[in-house]
Amino acid sequence: MKGTPRRRPEGKIVESANTGRGLFQALILAIVLGLTASLSSARTVILEGQEIDRAAGMAADAPRMGWAMSWLRPGIYTTALLDLVPGRSFLFRFPLERIPARQRITQAELILPVEGVEGTDPRLYVWRLAAEWGVGACYDYRKTIPQKIAWTRPGAGGRFSDRAGRPTVVARLVAPGLKVLNVTEDVELWYAGAATNWGWLLTVEDPGIRIQLGAPLITGERQWKLRITHEPE
Amino acid sequence: MNPNNRPRKQQKGTPGQQTRWWVGLAAGLILACAIGGVDARVSAGVDTNRPAAPEWLAGYQIRYPVFVPEAASLTAPNSVMVRLPTGGWLLPDARDVAVQGRDGRLIASAVLSHDPRGFTLVQFKRREHDEWYWIYGVHPNPPPAIDAGLLRQIQAADAVARKALTEKMEMQKLSAQAAEALRAVRDRVDQATATSNAAAREIASWEPLLAERQAKVDAAVAQVPPADAALTAATAAATGARTIAQERLARVQKLDGEVRAASNTWGMARSAYLVASNALAAAQAAVKKATPDKIGAARQAVQTATEAYRTSEAQIQTTGKELTQRTVQWREAEGAALPERMEATRLETLMETARQDRAQKAAQLQKAQASVGEARTARDRAMSLRDSSAAILTEAAPQLPDLKEAFEIRHTTAEQAAVAAQAAVAQHTRLVADADPRVLREGLTVEFRDWAGDELTDWATVYEGLNRSESVIGNGIVPAILQNFNPVRRSEPRNFAASYRGYLKITEPGVYRFLINGDDAAFLFIDNYKVYSRKGSHAPLVGRIPMYGVGEEIELEAGLHPIEVHQVVGNTPGAEGRCALLWLKPGASGWSLVPPPAFSQSLIGTPAGVEARDGKPVAIIGWGIDDTLVSDGVFLSLVRFQAVGSYPDGARLSWNFGDGLSGVGETPAHVYFQTGDREVSLASHPTLPPFKRRIHIWSAPMPTSPFSLAAVVDVFRGWNPDRLSRAQLDSMFAVLTLCGQTNRWDLQERLCERLLAQKDLDSQYRMAVQVARMDARAAGGRAAEALNGYRAATNEVNRLRIPRMRLMMEGARIQQVYLRDFEAAGRLYDAILDEGRRIRHPVVRAAATARGDLYWDAGDWAQASAAYRAAADLGSDAVADLDPTGADQDATRGALLRVAEQALKSGDMRQSQRLLKRIERAFPEQKLEGFYRFLRAETDRKLGAYDDAVRNYEAVLKLPAWSSYRAATLAGIADAYARAEEWNQALEWIKSLETGFPEFYAQNGYAATATRWAAKGVATTNSLATRLMDFDFDHTFPRVNENTPDDVMPLLGRENPGVLLVAIEKARTQGLRYSLNLPKLTAGGRIWVEFWYTAEGTLAPPFDDPTVTIEVKGDSDEISRNREGLDQTYGDWRKYAHWFVAPHSDSAIVVLRLGALTRGLYQFDDVRVRSVSDAEAERLRQFIEGTDPQ
C-alpha cells in the first residue's frame, strides 16, 4: 500500500513513496506522544497509617480482647508494638476512596515497619479478610456491637468464610526494616468491586516465629503505608 | 476388622451370636468397673451361653440381656451395676426401668444416674451365682416398684436413719475436733517435754565444761603477773644499757665530726701545698729563661714562691698531725662504745622476749575467758528453754486430763451415736432389703453435668447451682475418685460438675484427714455430713502436700460409710478438670490417693444385647474417633459409628449425625468439621423413638493415618451436596483441593457446581472453585469441557488481571498436561507475560518459568534458557526493603543449594524439596543446571513424585556437562520406576545402567536389586495384597490354659472373627503379646500399624495407663520400636496408631505387646498393618502442611 512503511528482510524501514514520509513521521510522533501521555498518566496514591479506619488485635490467650497485641503479664496487653506470634494476629483496613474512579490498578504495595524477627525463617502472612468485622472484634467474635457475631472459626480462622482461601502474601523476613509487600491482587479486587474491602489480617503461622511490627498509627519515616499506582482505564 | 469397612456377620446371625458380640462390646465399655477388692475371675471354662429368656414383663417395650462375668465364681459382692445405653428411650426420670431374673421374677433395682443422651446406671441385687439378667425399659406408665404402705415405712425409717447418721457424724466430728484439740495440746506438751528434757541434758553437759574452762581461766590469770614482772625488769635493764650506749655513741659521733673537720683542713692545706709547689716550679723555670734584664724579678718571684711553698708545707704537716690525732681519738672512742652497744642490744632482745611472753599469757587468758563465756551463754539458753518449756508444761499439761476426758466422752458419744445410727440404718435396711439395692452399700459412680450455677463461694451457693445443673452429660462406674481431665469433654475442661457417690470401706477406725485436690470447688460428704469444703476457684496443689493445714479431719468407725464428692469447675482459665480424693490415714506419714479397695465395689454387668418386645429391629449407637486431620485452618474429624443390636438388614438403619446430615447402614463413617458435642441419633425400630447419643468431637492426639484422606473422600461421596451448609461446603472444598486423592475428581466437580451456584461467593473464591472444577474435569478425562469452563470463567474475571492470569495459567496447564497442545499452552503463557510484565507479580514469573519448561520439554534449550533468565527479572515473591540499614539479605542460591543437599543426605526429603522449590522461585535459571535437577529428581523420587523425578533425571542426562552424574541418574530412574511398581521400565533402566556403568552396577549390588524387581514384576498382580494386610487377633491367637492367670483368655469373642476379649485379673501384672509376619515388603518406606480397642472404662484410671510396645523386626535383626501409653483417641472405641520405618528387607515381623492393663475386660479389634508408599505419605504430608508449606 502506498505510503505504508514495510519491513525488509534486513529489518530496515523504508518509504515506499516520498509522499508518505510526512504522514509516517506524523504517525510515529502520534504514537510516541500517545505512549508518553499514557505513561505519564500513571498516578500514585499513598495512604498512610493514620488513614486506617479500623484495626484490632486478636490473641488466642485473650479471646475477648481486641487489643491484645503485646503480652506484658497475665491478662495485660499493649498495642505499642504488634507482637505477632502463632495465635496472635492483627486486623486492619485502609479505605480506598482516595483512588479516583475509572482507574486500573497497576501496583499496590503495603509498606510495613518490621521492628524485630525471631525464629528460623520467619514468615509474615497477609490474608485478605472475607467477612465483615467491626466494633469489639476479638479472637472469638468479629464484632460485638450491636450484637455478638462469632468468626466461623476463632481468630478469623475460617478459610473462605473469615479470610481468603490462601494468603495474599507470604513475606519471608530476614531482618528488621521497612518492608514492601505486593498486595496488588487484593487492591485490584477491592477497587473493581469484586470483593468487599474488609481489610487484611496479619498472622504468623509457623511455630517458634515472632515478628514485631511498629504500631500502625505512628508517624514519620517508619509509618505504615499503602502505596497504590493506578492509571486510567 | 474395623466395623467401618467390614460388617459384622454375627450381628445378622442368631440372637445368641448377637448376644455374644454384644457382651464383648459392653464389656469394653466398662473396663474399669471390675477393678476393686473383689476377687473376680472369668475363665475360659465359664459357660457363657445365655439361658432361655423369661417371659416379657408387661408393658415394657425393650429389654437388655445383661451378663455378669464374675457372678459364677464370686460370692460377693451382693449387687450388680450396669451402665446401660438408653439414650433418649426412657422417661425423663428413668423410672421405667425394671430388672428381671432368669426365673422371671422382678428384682429390686435402682437408677443411680440417668443421662438422657447417653447411659443409665442401674443397680440391682444379684441372685446367687446367676450370670444372666434382663433389664427392661420404655414403659409409658410404669408400676410403682414398692407397695405404698411399705414405701411410707421405708421413708420414715430412712428419715430416722438419716437423722441418726447426721447425729452420729456430728458426734464424730466433735470427737474428731476433740481429738484434734487433744492432739494439739498433746503435741504441745510432748514438744515442751522434749524441749525441756533436751535443755536439761544440755545444761547438765555444760556445767562440768564450764568449771573446767573456769579453771583454765584461773591458771591463765596466774601466769600473767610473773610475765609482767619479767617484762618490767627487762625493760629497766634495757633502758639503762641503751642510755649508756647512746652516750658512748654521742661521743663517737662527736669525734667523728672532728675527724671529718680535721680531714677537711688537711685537704685544704694539701691543695695549697700543691698550688705553691707548682708556682715555685714555674718561678724557677722562669728564672732559667729570664733575660738578664728580668732575672731579678724572676728571682724575686722564686723567693716569694719558695716562701709560700714552705708556709704551705708547714701547714700540711700541722693539719696532718691534727688529723692523725683526731683519728686516733675516734678509734679509741669507737672501740670503747662497742661493748655498751652490744649489751644494750642484748638487753633489748630480752625485753622483747618478755613482752611476747606477756602477750601470749594475756591471749591465753582472753581465750579461756571467752570459752567460759560461750559455755555460760549456752547453759543460760538451755536454762531459758527449760524454763519456758516448764512454763508450757505448767500451763498445758494440766489441760491434758480434761481434754483426754473430753475426747473420751465425745468418742464414746460418737460410738454410741454410731451404734444408734447403725441400728437406724439396719432398720431401714431391713425394710428396703428387698426393695432397694442401694442398702447393700456397694459401688462407686460418677455423674457429670453442665455447670449452670454462678458462684463457687460456699456450699449453699454451689448446692443451689448443682440443683440448677440438670443437664447430665455423662456418667460411669469408677474404681476411685480420680480424674485428670473432663472425661466427657476432653477439649473443654471447664464449666462442669462431677458428683461421685459410693461407699467408703473403713477397716481401721480412727481419725482420718481428707483432702480433695483438684480444680476449683470441691466438697466431701461422709455419712451425709459435710467433712471437707474447698471453695472458690483454685488450681490443684502441686508438689509435696503438707500433712496439716490442708484438709479436714473426721473420726470414722470401721464399716461402710456413704460418701459423696461434688466438684465444680467454673469458667476458670487454665483449669484442667482434675479431681482426686486423698486421705491421711491414722498413723500415716503422708497423703495418698484413696485407693479402689477403700471403696465398696459391686459386680459389673455388661449389656449383651437389646431386644424389642415386638421382635422388630432395634439398635443402639457405638462410636469412636478414627482420625483427626487439620490443614490450613480446616479441622476434620473422621468418626466411625456402628449400630449394635438386633436387626436383619443394616441398610434400613437411619442415622442423623447431628450436624444436619444423615446416613444409612450399620457401620457408617462420618466427618465433622468442628470440635464439640453432637447429638447423633439412630432410628431402627418403627415405633420407638430414635436412639440418641451425645458424642464429643475433639482433636485427639494421635498420629494421622495416611489412609484417612481416602476414607474422608469416601465419606464425602455419600453426602448430598444440596444438604450441606455453606460452612460444610467450604470445608469440604478445602479438603478436596488439598487431599491429593485420585478418587476425588467426580466429587470435586459436583461440589464445585454446588459452590458456583452460591450467590454470595467471593470472586477470588469463585475463581478458585472454577479452577478446581476445571482440574476435576480435566483429570476426569474431559479436558475439552474443562477448557470450556476456562473460557466462561475468564469472562467472569475479565476486569481483574491477576485472577485472570491465574486462570490462564490453569488453562495452559490443561492444554499442556491433558491435551498435549503445547502451542496453545505457550500462547497462553506468552499472553500472561505480555500483559503482566508491568505488574511484577509472582504469577508472571511462574508463567515465564512454565514457558521455559515448555521449551525445555520441546528440546529448545536456547529458548528455555532465555525464558528462565527472563523469569528472573519478573515479579518475584521476595520482599522489597526500603530501609537501608536493615536490608534483608536472603540466602544465596549456592547456600540454599548446599542446605538442600544436606537435607537430602540427612533424609529430610520434605525440607530438601521445599528449599529446591524456593530456589526455583527465586532463581528460575537454576533449572538449567544439572546439579539442581539431580537434587530435585532425588527428592521427588523419595517423596513419591515419580513422574517429576524421571523428568528431572532425564534433564540431567541431557546436560553433557553433568555426565559424571549419569550412573547415579540411571539408577535413580530405575528406582523411580520400581517405586511406582512399573517393573519392566525399572528393569530396562537398570539394564542400561549395567551396560553403561558395569563397575558402578557391581559396586552397588544392583544385580540383586534387579533380581528382586524381576520377582516383584511376576507377582505384581498381587500388589494390593503386598501393601494391605489385615489381621484379626483371633485368627492366630492361641487358646490358653485357663489355669494360667497371667495369660490371655479369649472368652466371648472366640467365635467372633474380629474381636478379642481379654480378661485381666491383676492390674499391671498381665498383658498380651502378639506377633505376625509381614511378607513381600516394599523396600524402604514406612509401615503403619493401628488397632481398635474398647476403652470407656479407663475413665479415671487410678494407676498407670496401659502401655503398648510394638517392634518391627527385619530379616537382619533391624528393629524399629515404639512404647507409649495406650490411651489415644476417645469414644466407645479407641484407636492406637503409629508409624514405623520399614526394614530394608523383603519381610519382617511385627510384635505387639500390651502391658500394665488394669483389671477388667478388654476388647481388641482389628490389628491393621500396612506398608505406606512414598506417594501416600507425601499426600498426607502435603495435606497437613497445607497450601503454603515452609
Side-chain angles (χ1 to χ4, degrees):
Chain A
M1 183 183 291
K2 194 176 180 182
T4 303
R6 59 184 173 83
R7 192 178 292 273
R8 282 185 171 177
E10 58 272 26
K12 289 183 180 174
I13 294 174
V14 297
E15 293 299 315
S16 59
N18 288 336
T19 53
R21 180 183 295 268
L23 180 60
F24 173 71
Q25 285 175 340
L27 184 62
I28 293 294
L29 184 62
I31 291 170
V32 169
L33 286 174
L35 278 174
T36 309
S38 172
L39 288 173
S40 61
S41 66
R43 292 281 186 271
T44 299
V45 172
I46 297 179
L47 305 175
E48 297 182 342
Q50 292 86 348
E51 295 179 69
I52 289 174
D53 63 358
R54 65 182 75 173
M58 301 191 298
D61 47 2
R64 307 288 167 87
M65 282 189 188
W67 58 92
M69 286 314 309
S70 290
W71 186 91
L72 291 181
R73 54 185 181 274
I76 308 294
Y77 295 81
T78 73
T79 51
L81 194 70
L82 306 190
D83 189 17
L84 297 170
V85 294
R88 203 180 299 157
S89 50
F90 184 70
L91 314 162
F92 66 103
R93 192 190 93 114
F94 277 105
L96 301 179
E97 283 71 24
R98 279 180 50 201
I99 307 173
R102 290 183 297 281
Q103 300 291 306
R104 186 209 305 261
I105 306 298
T106 55
Q107 191 81 347
E109 293 165 319
L110 181 63
I111 300 168
L112 298 176
V114 177
E115 304 297 346
V117 290
E118 286 178 23
T120 305
D121 205 6
R123 297 189 303 170
L124 176 71
Y125 286 67
V126 182
W127 304 83
R128 179 173 60 83
L129 282 161
E132 182 190 6
W133 56 281
V135 180
C138 56
Y139 188 76
D140 280 350
Y141 300 105
R142 54 187 170 96
K143 61 197 297 188
T144 54
I145 294 174
Q147 63 182 24
K148 286 182 178 176
I149 303 176
W151 297 105
T152 308
R153 296 188 193 285
R159 296 289 172 102
F160 307 115
S161 50
D162 296 330
R163 60 171 97 167
R166 57 176 171 73
T168 306
V169 180
V170 181
R172 195 180 298 275
L173 305 173
V174 179
L178 216 50
K179 309 297 176 188
V180 183
L181 280 54
N182 187 339
V183 290
T184 310
E185 186 171 4
D186 287 350
V187 173
E188 186 185 36
L189 274 177
W190 290 333
Y191 181 77
T196 308
N197 174 13
W198 300 121
W200 282 296
L201 169 71
L202 301 181
T203 69
V204 166
E205 305 283 330
D206 309 317
I209 300 298
R210 174 186 300 273
I211 294 175
Q212 294 173 322
L213 304 177
L217 298 182
I218 58 170
T219 55
E221 286 185 0
R222 298 181 74 76
Q223 65 179 325
W224 291 41
K225 285 178 189 167
L226 177 59
R227 189 166 61 196
I228 302 162
T229 306
H230 57 87
E231 61 190 17
E233 276 187 330
Chain B
M1 167 63 76
N2 186 331
N4 279 338
N5 47 34
R6 195 181 68 185
R8 297 183 182 283
K9 291 178 183 174
Q10 69 281 3
Q11 290 174 11
K12 300 174 186 175
T14 66
Q17 286 173 321
Q18 291 166 14
T19 301
R20 278 191 283 279
W21 191 89
W22 238 96
V23 170
L25 169 66
L29 300 183
I30 47 176
L31 287 183
C33 49
I35 300 170
V38 292
D39 184 23
R41 171 163 166 70
V42 180
S43 79
V46 173
D47 179 13
T48 57
N49 289 330
R50 192 194 309 176
E55 288 295 318
W56 274 81
L57 289 180
Y60 290 94
Q61 299 300 306
I62 59 165
R63 69 179 180 188
Y64 303 82
V66 169
F67 176 66
V68 185
E70 298 172 309
S73 57
L74 299 180
T75 54
N78 295 311
S79 70
V80 179
M81 279 187 173
V82 182
R83 189 164 181 256
L84 208 61
T86 57
W89 279 341
L90 301 182
L91 293 172
D93 58 358
R95 62 192 158 84
D96 52 341
V97 168
V99 180
Q100 184 187 37
R102 61 193 299 175
D103 56 3
R105 284 193 299 159
L106 272 176
I107 298 174
S109 64
V111 172
L112 306 177
S113 171
H114 175 56
D115 176 1
R117 297 292 179 267
F119 293 82
T120 302
L121 304 184
V122 180
Q123 187 175 23
F124 58 88
K125 284 184 72 175
R126 70 182 283 192
R127 290 271 175 85
E128 298 180 341
H129 290 287
D130 277 2
E131 293 177 293
W132 288 94
Y133 300 85
W134 283 260
I135 301 182
Y136 288 76
V138 190
H139 193 306
N141 187 21
I146 308 172
D147 171 73
L150 177 61
L151 183 62
R152 279 195 295 277
Q153 287 181 41
I154 289 171
Q155 286 170 343
D158 184 48
V160 170
R162 283 176 177 276
K163 186 180 173 194
L165 276 175
T166 305
E167 285 174 0
K168 182 208 77 162
M169 291 304 292
E170 282 171 355
M171 292 302 110
Q172 286 181 330
K173 181 64 184 175
L174 290 174
S175 175
Q177 285 171 346
E180 188 168 5
L182 175 61
R183 181 185 55 75
V185 173
R186 186 183 283 150
D187 285 354
R188 213 164 150 227
V189 167
D190 290 349
Q191 192 178 354
T193 305
T195 306
S196 178
N197 291 339
R201 281 196 298 276
E202 195 171 349
I203 291 166
S205 65
W206 276 118
E207 286 297 351
L209 212 54
L210 191 59
E212 184 185 323
R213 290 183 182 179
Q214 187 58 50
K216 283 184 181 172
V217 169
D218 294 344
V221 167
Q223 285 182 355
V224 170
D228 279 344
L231 178 59
T232 306
T235 304
T239 306
R242 192 186 303 124
T243 306
I244 294 167
Q246 283 173 346
E247 284 171 1
R248 299 281 184 191
L249 184 61
R251 176 172 168 69
V252 168
Q253 286 172 342
K254 183 185 171 201
L255 286 171
D256 183 56
E258 288 174 358
V259 168
R260 289 176 190 277
S263 175
N264 289 339
T265 308
W266 179 80
M268 284 188 292
R270 180 171 173 74
S271 298
Y273 168 76
L274 289 173
V275 170
S277 175
N278 289 337
L280 178 60
Q284 287 171 344
V287 167
K288 288 179 182 172
K289 294 180 182 174
T291 56
D293 57 332
K294 291 183 181 176
I295 191 77
R299 286 177 180 164
Q300 183 62 39
V302 168
Q303 185 66 33
T304 305
T306 302
E307 284 174 4
Y309 172 76
R310 286 179 182 158
T311 303
S312 65
E313 190 178 36
Q315 279 180 342
I316 199 169
Q317 286 172 355
T318 307
T319 57
K321 284 179 185 171
E322 181 66 21
L323 177 59
T324 304
Q325 185 183 352
R326 295 297 178 197
T327 304
V328 169
Q329 286 174 347
W330 175 79
R331 282 183 182 152
E332 286 172 356
E334 176 75 10
L338 186 61
E340 275 80 9
R341 283 221 307 276
M342 290 178 66
E343 178 61 11
T345 303
R346 186 183 69 80
L347 291 173
E348 280 178 349
T349 305
L350 286 174
M351 183 185 71
E352 186 58 32
T353 306
R355 184 179 289 126
Q356 287 177 0
D357 185 51
R358 168 69 177 81
Q360 189 180 357
K361 294 290 189 295
Q364 284 173 350
L365 173 61
Q366 200 172 2
K367 188 178 170 188
Q369 285 172 334
S371 169
V372 167
E374 281 173 11
R376 192 169 287 136
T377 304
R379 184 198 60 184
D380 292 349
R381 192 176 59 234
M383 289 172 80
S384 170
L385 273 175
R386 184 187 61 187
D387 294 345
S388 62
S389 300
I392 291 170
L393 285 171
T394 307
E395 180 235 335
Q399 298 175 21
L400 274 177
D402 292 344
L403 288 170
K404 208 176 286 179
E405 187 182 352
F407 167 68
E408 282 168 1
I409 290 170
R410 292 199 165 157
H411 181 63
T412 307
T413 311
E415 282 183 337
Q416 290 168 350
V419 171
Q422 281 172 1
V425 169
Q427 170 64 14
H428 176 254
T429 305
R430 273 193 297 278
L431 283 169
V432 298
D434 291 324
D436 190 341
R438 283 172 289 197
V439 298
L440 298 170
R441 299 189 161 207
E442 290 174 351
L444 180 62
T445 64
V446 62
E447 182 177 86
F448 295 93
R449 281 176 281 175
D450 278 327
W451 171 242
D454 300 319
E455 302 291 332
L456 308 176
T457 49
D458 54 45
W459 168 243
T461 313
V462 169
Y463 181 74
E464 190 268 333
L466 284 173
N467 278 336
R468 277 197 278 147
S469 305
E470 294 174 342
S471 171
V472 176
I473 55 174
N475 49 32
I477 305 164
V478 292
I481 298 175
L482 174 66
Q483 71 202 33
N484 293 324
F485 40 77
N486 177 352
V488 294
R489 283 188 186 146
R490 292 290 295 269
S491 59
E492 180 48 71
R494 298 186 288 182
N495 296 311
F496 74 97
S499 295
Y500 289 85
R501 296 183 178 89
Y503 299 91
L504 198 58
K505 192 161 62 180
I506 296 294
T507 54
E508 182 186 349
V511 176
Y512 287 74
R513 182 174 278 267
F514 288 94
L515 168 69
I516 302 172
N517 193 21
D519 288 294
D520 290 359
F523 303 88
L524 167 66
F525 291 80
I526 297 177
D527 288 336
N528 299 321
Y529 185 81
K530 181 153 63 72
V531 174
Y532 171 80
S533 300
R534 195 174 190 215
K535 306 162 192 168
S537 293
H538 304 276
L541 298 172
V542 294
R544 190 175 178 277
I545 300 174
M547 290 231 333
Y548 299 105
V550 294
E552 291 285 346
E553 288 189 336
I554 187 77
E555 182 185 357
L556 293 174
E557 79 278 14
L560 293 173
H561 300 266
I563 183 171
E564 288 185 26
V565 167
H566 299 281
Q567 183 216 12
V568 178
V569 182
N571 191 26
T572 307
E576 297 177 9
R578 292 172 179 269
C579 178
L581 178 65
L582 309 178
W583 69 1
L584 198 58
K585 293 174 71 176
S589 59
W591 292 96
S592 60
L593 178 76
V594 180
F599 296 97
S600 166
Q601 306 285 358
S602 69
L603 290 175
I604 307 296
T606 62
V610 59
E611 302 164 357
R613 181 186 185 85
D614 54 12
K616 292 183 175 170
V618 65
I620 61 120
I621 296 170
W623 72 286
I625 293 179
D626 198 349
D627 214 339
T628 301
L629 297 106
V630 180
S631 175
D632 271 1
V634 177
F635 168 91
L636 59 95
S637 182
L638 180 62
V639 179
R640 53 176 271 185
F641 292 97
Q642 69 185 121
V644 183
S646 315
Y647 49 86
D649 183 4
R652 295 193 175 188
L653 298 170
S654 174
W655 297 78
N656 183 324
F657 298 112
D659 59 352
L661 298 178
S662 56
V664 293
E666 56 186 327
T667 58
H670 193 63
V671 171
Y672 291 95
F673 292 117
Q674 278 189 311
T675 58
D677 284 357
R678 292 283 183 283
E679 185 178 294
V680 180
S681 64
L682 169 62
S684 54
H685 191 273
T687 55
L688 277 173
F691 181 88
K692 292 175 182 166
R693 180 75 196 275
R694 182 191 313 98
I695 65 169
H696 183 67
I697 306 299
W698 71 302
S699 186
M702 176 176 61
T704 306
S705 165
F707 308 106
S708 287
L709 283 171
V712 166
V713 173
D714 285 341
V715 171
F716 286 168
R717 180 161 284 107
W719 288 359
N720 180 356
D722 294 337
R723 298 191 59 185
L724 298 177
S725 69
R726 173 63 188 280
Q728 286 169 323
L729 288 170
D730 292 344
S731 298
M732 194 171 159
F733 178 77
V735 173
L736 284 180
T737 49
L738 278 171
C739 68
Q741 299 299 308
T742 51
N743 60 344
R744 74 184 193 277
W745 298 116
D746 60 326
L747 186 61
Q748 182 167 313
E749 186 180 353
R750 276 192 289 135
L751 174 68
C752 291
E753 300 288 0
R754 177 81 178 85
L755 275 169
L756 289 171
Q758 303 282 316
K759 289 180 180 171
D760 58 342
L761 219 56
D762 175 291
S763 64
Q764 197 181 42
Y765 185 14
R766 189 174 175 81
M767 191 199 67
V769 176
Q770 297 269 26
V771 168
R773 184 173 65 170
M774 288 158 53
D775 213 18
R777 285 176 173 170
R782 292 182 291 136
E785 201 176 331
L787 279 182
N788 289 337
Y790 158 71
R791 289 183 193 103
T794 307
N795 290 334
E796 285 188 18
V797 292
N798 204 27
R799 290 178 60 231
L800 304 169
R801 278 186 293 187
I802 295 171
R804 193 172 66 245
M805 285 191 283
R806 288 190 192 281
L807 213 50
M808 290 161 81
M809 287 286 286
E810 180 63 16
R813 196 177 70 83
I814 290 171
Q815 296 277 17
Q816 182 179 345
V817 175
Y818 296 105
L819 296 175
R820 314 297 292 170
D821 186 345
F822 301 113
E823 278 190 26
R827 283 196 298 274
L828 281 169
Y829 291 134
D830 289 340
I832 295 171
L833 292 171
D834 285 346
E835 181 171 0
R837 281 184 200 283
R838 288 179 57 203
I839 296 180
R840 295 196 60 80
H841 194 275
V843 72
V844 185
R845 177 180 285 207
T849 308
R851 189 70 179 99
D853 290 344
L854 265 185
Y855 284 128
W856 180 276
D857 290 344
D860 190 345
W861 296 357
Q863 290 276 28
S865 172
Y868 291 143
R869 293 205 169 91
D873 295 330
L874 296 172
S876 159
D877 56 1
V879 176
D881 204 314
L882 293 182
D883 192 341
T885 60
D888 275 347
Q889 293 298 318
D890 205 354
T892 64
R893 133 178 46 182
L896 286 171
L897 210 54
R898 280 193 295 276
V899 177
E901 185 187 7
Q902 288 304 317
L904 179 67
K905 285 180 178 171
S906 66
D908 189 352
M909 302 302 151
R910 194 75 188 116
Q911 175 67 1
S912 175
Q913 191 187 54
R914 280 193 289 258
L915 287 166
L916 291 168
K917 285 185 175 176
R918 183 173 157 193
I919 291 170
E920 185 178 319
R921 283 198 305 273
F923 313 103
E925 68 274 24
Q926 192 69 38
K927 297 187 89 172
L928 298 167
E929 294 188 20
F931 186 55
Y932 170 82
R933 291 282 195 169
F934 183 76
L935 290 182
R936 269 304 294 268
E938 290 281 292
T939 307
D940 290 342
R941 173 170 63 92
K942 291 177 180 175
L943 288 176
Y946 306 125
D947 288 345
D948 292 342
V950 169
R951 190 176 298 118
N952 282 308
Y953 279 129
E954 287 176 348
V956 178
L957 294 178
K958 288 177 186 171
L959 292 167
W962 297 88
S963 59
S964 59
Y965 283 78
R966 196 171 174 80
T969 300
L970 291 173
I973 294 174
D975 187 63
Y977 280 118
R979 285 170 185 253
E981 298 186 355
E982 294 181 25
W983 306 108
N984 292 335
Q985 292 270 35
L987 289 168
E988 280 179 26
W989 282 94
I990 205 83
K991 184 72 182 169
S992 65
L993 176 68
E994 183 184 10
T995 309
F997 302 91
E999 197 174 332
F1000 181 88
Y1001 183 87
Q1003 279 176 353
N1004 291 281
Y1006 280 107
T1009 306
T1011 306
R1012 196 163 66 238
W1013 288 353
K1016 296 254 188 186
V1018 172
T1020 190
T1021 52
N1022 198 26
S1023 61
L1024 184 64
T1026 306
R1027 290 172 48 191
L1028 170 64
M1029 289 164 284
D1030 283 344
F1031 297 91
D1032 288 330
F1033 265 118
D1034 57 350
H1035 283 179
T1036 54
F1037 213 83
R1039 179 75 181 269
V1040 298
N1041 187 336
E1042 65 184 79
N1043 296 321
T1044 310
D1046 285 348
D1047 264 318
V1048 176
M1049 289 163 287
L1051 178 65
L1052 301 173
R1054 65 176 181 266
E1055 293 176 7
N1056 177 11
V1059 177
L1060 170 73
L1061 278 174
V1062 182
I1064 299 297
E1065 296 191 338
K1066 295 176 184 173
R1068 290 185 292 174
T1069 62
Q1070 293 176 304
L1072 63 87
R1073 181 180 184 280
Y1074 183 66
S1075 65
L1076 50 86
N1077 295 315
L1078 306 180
K1080 300 177 185 174
L1081 277 180
T1082 303
R1086 289 190 286 178
I1087 291 173
W1088 175 256
V1089 178
E1090 67 178 34
F1091 64 87
W1092 288 83
Y1093 62 102
T1094 51
E1096 182 80 5
T1098 54
L1099 184 76
F1103 304 115
D1104 297 343
D1105 287 338
T1107 58
V1108 57
T1109 305
I1110 298 181
E1111 292 174 352
V1112 180
K1113 298 180 182 177
D1115 291 345
S1116 55
D1117 292 333
E1118 182 187 358
I1119 296 180
S1120 293
R1121 180 184 288 118
N1122 182 63
R1123 182 181 189 277
E1124 60 188 320
L1126 189 57
D1127 190 13
Q1128 290 197 1
T1129 60
Y1130 185 71
D1132 296 341
W1133 285 91
R1134 299 187 181 193
K1135 190 172 96 170
Y1136 170 85
H1138 198 75
W1139 291 90
F1140 292 89
V1141 176
H1144 292 85
S1145 56
D1146 288 345
S1147 63
I1149 299 173
V1150 171
V1151 179
L1152 183 150
R1153 292 191 192 88
L1154 291 157
L1157 300 175
T1158 47
R1159 186 177 176 188
L1161 285 172
Y1162 286 77
Q1163 184 176 213
F1164 294 95
D1165 178 27
D1166 193 18
V1167 175
R1168 176 173 294 181
V1169 182
R1170 286 185 177 189
S1171 174
V1172 183
S1173 71
D1174 298 330
E1176 285 165 333
E1178 178 60 10
R1179 277 199 291 270
L1180 176 64
R1181 257 198 303 266
Q1182 285 185 357
F1183 179 82
I1184 291 171
E1185 289 177 352
T1187 50
D1188 190 54
Q1190 280 260 32

